[in-house]
Amino acid sequence: MKATDIEEAITQLAAEPFDAVEFPFRLLEAFGNKETTLKRLRSGTSNASDKDGWVLQRSNIHIAVCAAGAVSETLKTLRLSPATQKAKAKFVLATDGDMLEVEELATGEAKVCKFTDLPKAFGLMLPLAGISAIRQIKDNPIDIRATNKLNKLYVELLKENPDWDGEARRADLNQFMARLIFCFFAESTGIFKGDHLFTKAIEQFTASDSSNTHEVIAELFRAMDTKIENRSRAKVRPFADDFPYVNGGLFTKRNEVPRFSRIARSYLLNAGSLTWREINPDIFGSMIQAVADEDERGELGMHYTSVPNILKVLNPLFLDDLREKLEEAADNRRKLQNLRKRLARIRVFDPACGSGNFLVIAYRQMREIERRIIIRLQGGTGSDEELLDLVSYHGERSAIPLTNFYGIEIKSFAAEIARLALLIAEFQSDVNYIGQKEARDMVLPLHDTGRIKTGNALRENWSEVCPPHKPASAIEEDLGSPIGRLASDAPAEPEGETYVCGNPPYLGGKKQDRDQKADIATVFRGRSDQYKNLDYVCAFFLKSADYLSIATRSALVTTNSICQGTHVPTFWPLIQKANCEIAFCYEPFKWANNAQNNAGVSCTIIGLRKRTAAPKAILSEGIRRLVSNINFYLLDGANVIVEPSSRNLNSLSRMITGNAAYDEGHLFLTPEEAQSVRVNYPELSSKVRRVLGTTELVDGVSRYCLWFADDDIAFATSHPFSGPRVQSVLQYRKDGGEVARTLVARPHQFRYRHEAKKCQILIPQVSSERREYLPVGLLKNDAVITHLGHVIYDPNLVDFSVLSSKLHLAWIATICGKLETRYRYASNLGWNTFPLPPLTTNQKAELTGCAEDILLAREAHFPATIADLYDPEKMPDNLRAAHDKNDETLERIYIGRRFKNDTERLEKLFDMYTKMTARAEGGVKPKRAKRGAA
């Protein structure tokens, strides 16, 4: 259930007469509970409460309707109730129909409000619907409520104006919506003088049948585009004359307004009734951008990137440095003035800006730093305690112009909202820092806002969108007094800085459409012919690297796949060739990208700069580790690239891909067919073998095939069961491609016929990233392993021990890359290159014993499948203990103890790989191995 649907249901519930009996069930219904669930609660079957009339839904909420005036006391009773604790309720809620209190038990967060204000509490309770609400939504759900109302208005306007629902008019409708948002915000914040000036004008001067609504709004917009002194000549109608001159580009284009239905007019008035001054421009912008996109309209609020995640990009990019310089300046007036001048010369550029989240947060953070500077210049310390008391700084206008914030956005409405979000952020900052009256006096007429270009970032010339800095003197002349005033106080002219930031689309090679593939080709053509399987985000990184001839630094969010597998040798040498390096990165983390689902995609943030001797930083939650170099796998180490190797660089056994059939499935049998052959054709029984690939091994699926020797061709061709199948294979290969046609002489066999003499190890091609270990299998020699698995024929158990270790999993997760989020194994990348120290006889015996213990622990749980055994939440204790012992034994061989984490494991392995490949080449820098099949 969507947050907007919940808000609507809660609003309706709060508006109805209070029903003490029905309220708990209506509340749960509003949060998406089905009728069958409510029926069980009503009957008492699933109601876990210990009080009659109260409702307790397990793992969710305990609700009580109480006597008048007893809400707080009842909430305390609910909180301490043994039933609440036993049922693991997340929330407790009490109401008497007049007041309402709700508390989230895990955090202690609570909301107290009138019952009729229940919609204000729904943000806190979103987890009841399985939605992990972000902090800002919990505190202030106005953004979802406003978005919901605008979404309904937008859809209704499209119904009434079908001619506006196409490419030719869509931009007009989008601009119209942006103007409405500004008017709602302006009347709620006092930018427009009078109480709800805009909404009341619509209510008073438009007909109830909506017939003239478009005409009235068009006249209001025309007034806002006409200077006061010109209105008489322009014949602005009296009802519009109370509106101020706005300009700033927002009302300067066409003033045509779509026609309204009665319903649309009602939605407009409802939207105007909200408290728009409370909106968060960083959240609201990313939610409202979905209003204009039909494909995304059902997912309002799904595009929000949380402030903490945005700051993971902006802080190490440039904000941390500004804060450090502020602390260094202390109360030195000259240093403080120069730092403020530096702030005024910083430009922030997001080439995939959406509705401007990164730009808005960057602006707000810079304003906060500027505020501390000004307070120190006025004789204060700028401490957190002092900032609570010093709300304003004597009406001094900010030196940070919105025109220093640049973006590119492919969707026109999102670009409009980005510009508007920056204006709102500026006004809200002014209110906070110089006071409400001063902010209102300065805001109109609007000045230029952020420079957001509507276009395709991979086709645009970034140096034209955000061109090189002008000399400081020219900027002072352009922008006037704020910076000019500062220039007289300090002689030093700061160099301009430009920082590139953002969260561009990721999109793996197989998920890109034709246009997106053409975008990538535009960026990579002439530099590499290996780009077709690269992630879409790689093109943004390469353009960033090129743009660093102008910019200071860049930092982009990306899935960590671009630092894994074949991406590394294909992509990162191009960054090197651009004379760029990784300045900082984050260790991979789950990126929470929206207000509703907090989808966990494994991401990193990579900061680029031109090469320099300055230290680099590897970041994680609360930790900043300075290193001399960050390699392309985001590790502390040399810029080594692990290349596919067709031979083992270690002492491990040879691994190859399993047997490809090239038979169109005719040589394979279902379990039922295999059993039928054994019963009805006993002479074929010895030719039926079990087949295993990834699915068969992991999930225990049974599958079989016909497996004939070279000299069985006459028998296989003439047999009544196998003959027709062999004939079908022959026809398929005759009609097939070049490889298939080479196999027509032996249509009774797979293309490859590798067999083990004693046993074999099957390594799945793809494995879930949730598993702590690779689910490898040791099989007898009569099984046929397909090309959907890798195989070691007649291995030793040291091979099994290494494959079953966390050390090897960390290596292949980094080196082999992933399919979506799953581990994707490649023997020429992950196995042949795996660094292994020389093993003594005793060490081999220890590892063999560990492998045997793992196999015995598995056997003890027969017939559990590999999927069952290696489910991280259900892994048997004896199997986990056997793996722990194996890890400890192997890791002790490397460093004499267990590794602390995967970072330490990988740094050791890369160091060994560098030395191993140097020895293999006789001390010469390793050449890239020619790529071949795994």
Side-chain angles (χ1 to χ4, degrees), residues 463-483:
S463 61
E464 292 179 0
V465 175
C466 184
H469 266 281
K470 293 180 181 180
S473 58
I475 291 212
E476 289 166 13
E477 186 177 331
D478 285 349
L479 298 179
S481 61
I483 302 173

Side-chain angles (χ1 to χ4, degrees), residues 180 182-206 216-217 219-221 223-224 228 231 237-246 251 268-269 272-274 276-277 440 444:
L180 287 183
F182 172 79
C183 290
F184 290 143
F185 180 77
E187 69 175 0
S188 185
T189 55
I191 294 174
F192 289 171
K193 302 291 175 63
D195 181 26
H196 279 77
L197 182 67
F198 181 73
T199 302
K200 284 186 176 178
I202 303 298
E203 193 170 21
Q204 292 172 6
F205 298 111
T206 65
V216 170
I217 294 176
E219 184 66 6
L220 297 179
F221 287 174
M224 287 183 258
I228 303 297
R231 289 190 176 179
R237 296 178 67 182
F239 69 79
D241 209 27
D242 288 338
F243 283 81
Y245 171 57
V246 175
F251 294 94
L268 180 68
L269 295 174
S273 68
L274 297 175
W276 285 80
R277 63 177 174 273
R440 283 202 308 261
L444 296 180

Side-chain angles (χ1 to χ4, degrees), residues 659-813:
N659 299 296
Y662 271 76
D663 72 325
E664 203 179 22
H666 297 296
L667 296 178
F668 287 86
L669 306 173
T670 64
E672 294 75 20
E673 288 171 334
Q675 180 62 22
S676 176
V677 167
R678 293 188 180 107
V679 171
N680 298 313
Y681 304 102
E683 68 278 11
L684 271 181
S685 291
S686 62
K687 310 302 180 184
V688 175
R689 292 198 182 184
R690 190 175 177 199
V691 169
L692 292 99
T694 296
T695 302
E696 291 80 12
L697 172 71
V698 174
D699 298 325
V701 174
S702 293
R703 195 175 177 213
Y704 297 85
C705 74
L706 294 170
W707 191 259
F708 293 107
D710 292 345
D711 55 5
D712 284 336
I713 186 167
F715 170 67
T717 304
S718 60
H719 193 278
F721 179 82
S722 59
R725 289 173 175 257
V726 172
Q727 186 61 38
S728 295
V729 174
L730 177 62
Q731 191 60 49
Y732 168 71
R733 290 176 178 175
K734 284 181 178 179
D735 297 339
E738 184 178 346
V739 173
R741 290 194 297 273
T742 64
L743 304 173
V744 295
R746 49 187 187 92
H748 63 309
Q749 294 179 322
F750 282 28
R751 177 190 182 188
Y752 295 118
R753 285 184 44 79
H754 301 295
E755 297 182 82
K757 294 178 181 178
K758 296 180 179 178
C759 61
Q760 51 197 331
I761 295 175
L762 166 56
I763 304 93
Q765 261 192 5
V766 178
S767 176
S768 169
E769 77 285 358
R770 292 183 62 246
R771 298 191 184 104
E772 298 173 37
Y773 299 94
L774 276 179
V776 297
L778 181 66
L779 308 174
K780 295 179 180 179
N781 64 346
D782 59 349
V784 175
I785 297 176
T786 72
H787 67 291
L788 297 179
H790 299 276
V791 198
I792 300 175
Y793 291 102
D794 297 305
N796 57 65
L797 287 182
V798 171
D799 300 323
F800 189 91
S801 169
V802 170
L803 285 165
S804 301
S805 68
K806 284 187 175 178
L807 194 62
H808 186 62
L809 182 64
W811 180 254
I812 67 103

Side-chain angles (χ1 to χ4, degrees), residues 773-888:
Y773 299 94
L774 276 179
V776 297
L778 181 66
L779 308 174
K780 295 179 180 179
N781 64 346
D782 59 349
V784 175
I785 297 176
T786 72
H787 67 291
L788 297 179
H790 299 276
V791 198
I792 300 175
Y793 291 102
D794 297 305
N796 57 65
L797 287 182
V798 171
D799 300 323
F800 189 91
S801 169
V802 170
L803 285 165
S804 301
S805 68
K806 284 187 175 178
L807 194 62
H808 186 62
L809 182 64
W811 180 254
I812 67 103
T814 300
I815 300 306
C816 295
K818 294 183 178 180
L819 179 64
E820 297 168 341
T821 58
R822 294 169 290 166
Y823 301 126
R824 184 171 190 169
Y825 204 95
S827 59
N828 58 350
L829 266 174
W831 183 249
N832 294 349
T833 64
F834 182 70
L836 183 71
L839 301 176
T840 66
T841 301
N842 284 341
Q843 289 169 339
K844 290 178 182 178
E846 285 184 292
L847 293 174
T848 297
C850 290
E852 290 171 343
D853 289 344
I854 291 171
L855 291 167
L856 288 170
R858 289 184 184 181
E859 188 65 27
H861 297 279
F862 179 84
T865 65
I866 292 288
D868 296 332
L869 293 172
Y870 286 89
D871 183 326
E873 296 177 3
K874 302 175 183 177
M875 191 173 182
D877 291 342
N878 64 334
L879 180 58
R880 188 179 292 280
H883 273 286
D884 284 342
K885 180 183 175 185
N886 184 61
D887 287 330
E888 182 178 0

Side-chain angles (χ1 to χ4, degrees), residues 570-586:
T570 302
F571 170 65
W572 283 100
L574 300 177
I575 300 295
Q576 268 188 312
K577 193 175 290 186
N579 197 34
C580 293
E581 64 182 1
I582 299 174
F584 70 88
C585 70
Y586 271 83

